[in-house]
Structures are given as structure tokens and as C-alpha cells.
Amino acid sequence: MTTREILTIQLGHYSNFVGAHWWNLQESNFTYDAKSPSEINHDVLYREGENMRKQVTFTPRLLTVDLKGAQGYLSEQGTLYETDPLDDQLLWDKTKLEITSFEPSPKTPFIQSLDGSRGPNESADSHAFDFENDVKSWVDYLLPSFHPRTVNIAKEYLHNSAERSFDLFTYGRDLWTTEQFSDDFSDRIRSYVEECDFMQGFQVLVDSIDGFAGLGASCIQYLRDEYGKSILAFPCLDYNSSEPSAADLIKIVNTALCWQHIGEHSSLYSPLSCGQVGWPFATDSRKFENVTYDPTLKYHSSAILATALDTLTLRYRTKKYANASLSDLCADLNKLGRKAAATSLSLPFPMRFNVDLIDMLDDLEESLWTSLTPSCEIPADNSMQSIALRGVAKDRMKRPIQEASKQMSKPAYRCSSVHEMMTLYLACTCHASATYLSDVEAPLKISIPYPKIFNNNVTEDGNIADWPTATDVKSVAVMAGLHSGSKVAAMYESLLKQTKRIRSIKKLHAFTDSGLEEDEFIECVHNLANCKEAYEDCYI
């Protein structure tokens, strides 16, 4: 089977929080049983290699960027290819060598428990770890080992520095133009691309409220100019529950500039946030009926976003849909150049205990999905959408004919597969919508360090019960998707309204001092207005 490889790039601290959960989920869902091989083609996002000891390695095809001090114990070289420097033949006189040592960053109890295996310990007691208090950075719960070229540090800026913050779009844009960063990072991109046989494109996660917005915009423009491949981008906004401040206006400008440039150079992009409104601060978080999480914890909110990403990308990662590609997904949703889409998630997919899919869908009254895109609700009607469903087995569709009873009177009883039944349901409930549906039978396996966010009425295998189950959830059915429709206009309108509060960019001296011109800001405001108009009801 031909692998159509994808390179993933994560730019920013919160994007790396999301990415850490995403790669953890993938590794937790690896299948090693030859009798029941995985439905997912992991070679799309992973690369096979060999370390210094001639051992075969399987690492994410990934580049991450964060500020100095944000990676904790994790070195830029990764862990798979490390050699003991004392074993190397020194080319200088050791008696004249001055060695400067420093204390390594402490590891969380969970990372220590991995004992170098870099894999989930099936026998580990999840209750033994206090992730909510222990996790300070995304490396504190990271499972996979990385290739030496994966981790990149922006050494010019210190993480959480009060003296020199990396908080402006222009700072990130300037960082990309520095020879030290740009040459090294572009070389690493090229090395990954040249390893691929049939590369189909890039996935880019980028923080959109700080300097990484400018770095991400410049990176995406480089990818477009240099490679011309499909680029699916996810600007990420951390849930902000702090009191309003002058910094909120800076975040708004960063986000507006980020969207403008990503919209110009990416193939498709979808802003992600667990906040119902992403700017200037989140008043309420997204609600899930059978999930309780703390949106102020990056460790929690990023897991929600990562679950959506891991599911919606199944369209171009499964063996069953070998010909499906990233370019097809982007082409389906970016009609007439409209580059933005909304992300949805159903977690867990509401399969009730001892209830078949046909009855669950027939009895469903509330919306089947929750939006993860700020200031954008996702209606069922008038959309172009790509939806992926995982974890509903064929034997959960309907009763056998001898037990079917009232089910036989429903048109959906004639369906012979979960895909056919869901397609029929979406066709009947999503008026004037064009839907591409992907599905896999295997559920999403849930294991540490995934946060304990499911309510106590969710059973071990992810079904919804009417009573407390007092058990840990081991797997769940999940549905996620990307949607392009008129409601995307509300997202632009909300950000445009906030941006217009800034009458002149000259009032934000930090931007003008760093090179942002008034004309460039005015053009950005006009871009938001044009994008809003492009998604008005008349476009469908």
C-alpha cells in the first residue's frame, strides 16, 4: 500500500500541549496484534528509522517550536539517538577542558515511571499520578520519543519572561527572517520532505495570540512558496479566564493578523478553542453532556482539542480510504477560496448502554456535535462538511431480524453498515448539506496520561448509562468533523468587532515600534470584513 506522507508542525506552547495529547493518543492506539491489524495507516504521520544501536525506531514526522525553558527535561536531540559523551573519543586534552554543568529540569512522577521505555505502562495505576498539579509543560505527560530534528528552541526568547515577552505578531515574523532560525528550520523541513515517497502536505498547529502567530504565518507562506503542497492549519487559542487588560488588545491584533496571512497561504484552516468566545477573553467554555473538565487547565482543554484532531484526520489516515487525501479534504471545504472551517466534536459519541445505533439516532433530540471553533456555532443545515466516526461496531447497528420488532419499520433498518446508516441519517437531518463521511470500527482507546474528564455514568467501553458506573473509561466512540457554512461569518464578525475597538494601531506602541505599519493594520481589518461577507447566507 502506497503511503502518502504528511509532515506535522507545532508552533507555540499551547499548540504543543495539544500536539502532545495527539501523539499520545496515536501511540496508545497502536495495534501490535497481527491477527487484527490497525485500521489506521500510521506511516502517514510517522517515520521509520534506525538509531545508533541499529534498532528500528518509529517516531512522529514532526517539528515543534517553543521558547527557551519551555521543554523542561526534554533535550533538542531527543532520547532515541543519545550517546554517552564519556564513551566518545575526545579530540582535546581533558586536563585542559573546562566543563560547565547545570541541574537538569525535574521530571514528573509519570515521566519517571516510563523508565526509558517511552511507552504507556499498561499496569500503571492512573490514580497514582496527580497530573492536574504536576503538569506545568507539555513535556510533563509526553509519551513518544522524538527524532533529533523534531525539537526546536527559539533561543532568543525565554518562556514566561516578564522582561522580554514573545507577545507580538511582528516578533515572530522577525524571528523567521533571522538566518540562524530560518536556515536551520527550513533545512529540517527539507530533510523530512526528501525522506518521503509521495508526500501530500502539511498539518500546522500554531498559537494565534502571541509571537507564534507571526512565526506560523511566515512558516506557512514558506511552505506554500517552496513546496506547493496542501496545508491544513489550526490556529489555537488557549482558554483565557483572566481579568480584562490592555494585553487583550494585543492578542486580538495578533489573532487578526494570523488569520489574514494563514487564510492567504494555507489550503484550509480552522481556529480551535475550548472557549465559546476566543477574544478578548473566554466567558464560557464549551459544554459536553458527559464530560466535565477544567478549561483553565491547558492539560485538560488541549486533550479535548487533540481528540477532535485525532478523529477528524482519520479521513486521510485510514487504510480503508487509501485514495483519500489531504488535498481532497481541503478542496471539498474551501470552495471559491473560502479558507475557514469550523471544527466539531462529539465526545463521547452518545451510544447509550444496550441501545442500538438505529434507535439512538431516531431518539436523538439535541445536536450531535459541539463546536470547538470560537464564536461559531455549527448548524446541521447548509454546510459542506467532512465527518469522521470511530468506535461504533457493526453489531451495535440494529437487532437481528428475529429480534428487530419495531426497528424493522424504520427505513434505516435496510442499511447494511454503520457507514450507510450514518450517511442516511446525515442526509435526512442535514438539509442542503454535502457530507463526506469516514468511519472506522475501532474505538478511541483511553489510557494514562489522558485526563479523567468523563462523567461517572460513562461505562468502561464508552457507553452512556443511566446510573453511576464507578469504573475507569478504557475506550470511547468519537465523532469529529470540519464544517464550512454561513455561521463561519459570525466568527469573523465577532473578531472584527473587537478589532475595530482599536481606532489606530499607533496607540499600541509596541506594534509600531516593531515595524507594523498603519496601512498593514487597516488592510487586516478590511480582510476580516471581506471574509465575513464571503460567508454570509447568500453564499450557499
Side-chain angles (χ1 to χ4, degrees):
M1 181 176 60
T2 301
T3 297
R4 307 185 68 182
E5 302 94 342
I6 289 175
L7 172 61
T8 304
I9 300 175
Q10 298 164 193
L11 304 164
H13 197 56
Y14 188 61
S15 292
N16 283 319
F17 262 87
V18 177
H21 274 301
W22 190 2
W23 299 108
N24 286 353
L25 285 171
Q26 292 184 64
E27 299 225 351
S28 298
N29 283 266
F30 280 171
T31 300
Y32 301 98
D33 185 358
K35 296 181 180 179
S36 57
S38 173
E39 298 171 86
I40 299 172
N41 181 5
H42 295 291
D43 292 329
V44 174
L45 299 185
Y46 279 73
R47 65 179 297 278
E48 186 174 311
E50 190 177 83
N51 65 12
M52 297 295 187
R53 300 178 180 87
K54 303 300 181 181
Q55 298 169 322
V56 175
T57 62
F58 201 51
T59 55
R61 190 178 295 105
L62 170 68
L63 290 170
T64 73
V65 182
D66 212 330
L67 303 183
K68 186 177 180 180
Q71 295 87 356
Y73 69 88
L74 186 65
S75 71
E76 287 187 86
Q77 289 71 40
T79 55
L80 287 178
Y81 298 80
E82 288 180 336
T83 58
D84 189 345
L86 297 179
D87 294 337
D88 295 338
Q89 183 70 36
L90 294 179
L91 301 179
W92 48 78
D93 186 352
K94 289 190 288 186
T95 62
K96 298 180 180 180
L97 183 64
E98 181 179 346
I99 300 177
T100 301
S101 61
F102 61 92
E103 285 293 326
S105 298
K107 298 181 179 180
T108 61
F110 172 72
I111 295 298
Q112 295 178 32
S113 74
L114 298 178
D115 293 328
S117 65
R118 306 308 302 177
N121 187 346
E122 297 295 337
S123 62
D125 181 7
S126 60
H127 298 280
F129 305 109
D130 184 10
F131 290 104
E132 281 71 15
N133 291 311
D134 289 344
V135 169
K136 302 295 187 291
S137 177
W138 53 275
V139 301
D140 292 335
Y141 57 91
L142 182 68
L143 285 177
S145 294
F146 285 157
H147 189 274
R149 73 171 73 108
T150 289
V151 180
N152 298 267
I153 299 175
K155 299 181 177 65
E156 294 83 350
Y157 293 90
L158 185 65
H159 179 60
N160 284 338
S161 172
E163 297 179 359
R164 188 168 182 242
S165 299
F166 190 59
D167 59 348
L168 299 184
F169 179 92
T170 43
Y171 291 168
R173 187 168 61 184
D174 292 343
L175 177 60
W176 179 265
T177 61
T178 60
E179 184 176 345
Q180 179 181 2
F181 182 89
S182 181
D183 288 354
D184 182 57
F185 197 71
S186 57
D187 285 345
R188 295 184 180 210
I189 294 174
R190 187 174 298 108
S191 296
Y192 271 127
V193 173
E194 290 175 351
E195 291 176 348
C196 300
D197 295 323
F198 299 98
M199 187 177 187
Q200 57 176 309
F202 304 89
Q203 299 172 153
V204 182
L205 279 67
V206 54
D207 289 6
S208 67
I209 63 172
D210 54 24
F212 285 105
L215 186 67
S218 299
C219 178
I220 288 172
Q221 181 176 355
Y222 168 80
L223 296 176
R224 171 63 64 195
D225 295 343
E226 188 73 14
Y227 299 103
K229 301 287 186 179
S230 297
I231 304 170
L232 177 58
F234 295 95
C236 299
L237 297 91
D238 187 12
Y239 182 87
N240 178 18
S241 60
S242 59
E243 292 296 321
S245 68
D248 293 332
L249 294 179
I250 294 177
K251 295 176 181 179
I252 289 168
V253 175
N254 288 334
T255 301
L257 290 167
C258 178
W259 288 13
Q260 176 192 4
H261 291 277
I262 288 181
E264 181 179 353
H265 299 290
S266 68
S267 306
L268 185 73
Y269 75 99
S270 181
L272 295 178
S273 177
C274 282
Q276 293 187 24
V277 180
W279 41 79
F281 52 90
T283 54
D284 294 299
S285 61
R286 295 294 184 182
K287 307 299 182 185
F288 297 86
E289 185 177 354
N290 297 292
V291 167
T292 302
Y293 69 103
D294 184 352
T296 64
L297 288 180
K298 291 181 175 66
Y299 166 67
H300 276 195
S301 63
S302 59
I304 300 286
L305 302 184
T307 304
L309 290 176
D310 193 54
T311 299
L312 68 86
T313 58
L314 287 175
R315 170 170 173 172
Y316 49 83
R317 296 196 294 122
T318 55
K319 298 174 181 177
K320 181 165 62 172
Y321 306 103
N323 295 324
S325 67
L326 178 60
S327 60
D328 291 337
L329 167 63
C330 295
D332 285 351
L333 298 180
N334 67 3
K335 300 298 184 183
L336 302 177
R338 299 175 178 91
K339 299 285 190 72
T343 296
S344 69
L345 177 65
S346 177
L347 177 70
F349 187 74
M351 292 294 294
R352 303 201 70 82
F353 187 78
N354 283 340
V355 176
D356 298 314
L357 176 64
I358 188 172
D359 293 326
M360 185 277 286
L361 295 174
D362 198 46
D363 296 338
L364 193 66
E365 296 181 355
E366 66 275 5
S367 174
L368 196 53
W369 48 64
T370 298
S371 174
L372 290 179
T373 295
S375 299
C376 182
E377 301 305 321
I378 305 175
D381 300 338
N382 300 310
S383 290
M384 290 174 286
Q385 51 199 21
S386 175
I387 294 174
L389 172 66
R390 70 196 315 167
V392 180
K394 187 174 181 179
D395 59 9
R396 290 295 306 277
M397 283 178 56
K398 56 185 179 180
R399 296 284 94 191
I401 192 168
Q402 62 271 22
E403 305 173 16
S405 184
K406 294 181 180 179
Q407 289 184 359
M408 293 186 64
S409 63
K410 301 176 181 179
Y413 191 80
R414 301 184 183 92
C415 296
S416 57
S417 67
V418 172
H419 186 279
E420 187 178 353
M421 186 174 289
M422 281 301 303
T423 299
L424 176 61
Y425 172 80
L426 293 170
C428 294
T429 57
C430 300
H431 173 69
S433 293
T435 304
Y436 186 103
L437 176 68
S438 311
D439 71 293
V440 296
E441 185 167 327
L444 181 69
K445 295 179 183 177
I446 300 296
S447 60
I448 56 171
Y450 195 89
K452 292 184 172 299
I453 55 177
F454 296 101
N455 294 349
N456 64 2
N457 65 321
V458 181
T459 66
E460 182 177 321
D461 55 0
N463 288 283
I464 313 302
D466 295 326
W467 58 87
T469 62
T471 184
D472 289 340
V473 177
K474 299 294 182 61
S475 65
V476 290
V478 183
M479 188 178 79
L482 289 169
H483 311 254
S484 178
S486 60
K487 291 298 182 180
V488 175
M491 175 187 74
Y492 283 113
E493 183 177 15
S494 176
L495 182 57
L496 177 63
K497 180 180 178 181
Q498 294 296 330
T499 307
K500 284 184 174 180
R501 292 168 53 197
I502 306 167
R503 300 299 177 87
S504 173
I505 197 63
K506 294 179 180 178
K507 293 183 177 181
L508 298 177
H509 302 292
F511 277 106
T512 53
D513 292 346
S514 61
L516 185 68
E517 301 289 343
E518 181 77 23
D519 290 345
E520 186 177 354
F521 176 70
I522 294 173
E523 180 185 351
C524 175
V525 176
H526 289 164
N527 174 262
L528 288 177
N530 291 337
C531 290
K532 168 186 170 295
E533 292 176 2
Y535 279 93
E536 301 287 4
D537 286 326
C538 58
Y539 110 84
I540 292 295

